[in-house]
Amino acid sequence: MGHVEAAPVVTNEEKDVSESLLGDKKVTVVFVLGGPGSGKGTQCANIVQNFGFTHLSAGDLLRAEIKSGSENGTMIQNMIKEGKIVPSEVTIKLLQRAMLESGNDKFLIDGFPRNEENRAAFENVTKITPEFVLFFDCSEEEMEKRLLNRNQGRDDDNIETIRKRFKVFVESSLPVVEYYESKGKVKKIDAAKPIPEVFEDVKAIFSSYGAKQAM
């Protein structure tokens, strides 16, 4: 049953993937949430280097799918342009594929779940509950300043789209943070501090959860 085949029906494929992931080892997932520009990507890179996690950015996986030129990619591109949230099953399928291909059993999932429906779908499909949620708390003013200063060649870094993304984050993603907070699973980080100080706080959280620091 744990064998992964290219099944014609998505649900079968997802079932196989989740069984493969859960088959013989415990999979540790940490959701990393924070508004656009809160510094999640920078800190995820530090966690990977220091604690051996595999970093999966939902946004990067979606952008890679867009670049592939698939029909799926075109649909994703149109939704992102309109500031809409991509359907859960699309993102979950990309995440599952990346988790299997990585060969690791510790994952930082960055920028997902984007809303309550994402969260419920992820837990239902993968049967994985996150170890905890790392929430980068940062003011809208600070995030806006950072996004306008960075130049990553992303066409979604203009002021109108940035504000649209903030609105989506507050309306959709904050309820996810609140849900996990009610379960005692949120670790909040003051993301307005300088990068090295933020990482000291991050390190303390991962060490307290028994994550071993890579030498």
Side-chain angles (χ1 to χ4, degrees), residues 116 119 174-186:
E116 265 295 291
R119 179 198 64 72
L174 281 184
V176 176
V177 175
E178 283 157 11
Y179 169 84
Y180 283 118
E181 209 151 25
S182 74
K183 306 269 181 200
K185 280 184 172 281
V186 173

Side-chain angles (χ1 to χ4, degrees), residues 134-147:
L134 192 62
F135 175 50
F136 287 89
D137 197 16
C138 198
S139 73
E140 194 166 316
E141 295 73 24
E142 176 63 25
M143 290 190 284
E144 189 173 296
K145 191 172 77 183
R146 289 177 183 181
L147 287 174

Side-chain angles (χ1 to χ4, degrees), residues 45-116:
N46 285 335
I47 296 163
V48 167
Q49 205 175 348
N50 285 265
F51 294 101
F53 278 70
T54 292
H55 175 213
L56 300 177
S57 157
D60 287 352
L61 290 171
L62 291 167
R63 280 188 281 276
E65 190 69 14
I66 290 167
K67 270 190 185 158
S68 77
S70 68
E71 195 179 319
N72 209 17
T74 306
M75 178 270 290
I76 293 167
Q77 186 171 30
N78 292 336
M79 293 197 79
I80 289 173
K81 268 188 185 154
E82 289 166 31
K84 290 180 183 168
I85 285 178
V86 175
S88 299
E89 62 273 15
V90 173
T91 311
I92 291 167
K93 204 175 162 195
L94 293 174
L95 285 166
Q96 284 185 311
R97 193 201 303 161
M99 286 166 94
L100 263 186
E101 287 170 357
S102 79
N104 200 352
D105 59 355
K106 300 189 295 185
F107 301 96
L108 298 173
I109 296 185
D110 166 11
F112 185 92
R114 298 279 299 275
N115 56 25
E116 265 295 291

Side-chain angles (χ1 to χ4, degrees), residues 13-24:
E13 187 179 288
E14 284 175 347
K15 191 173 169 215
D16 283 348
V17 168
S18 53
E19 282 177 4
S20 299
L21 280 170
L22 291 167
D24 53 356

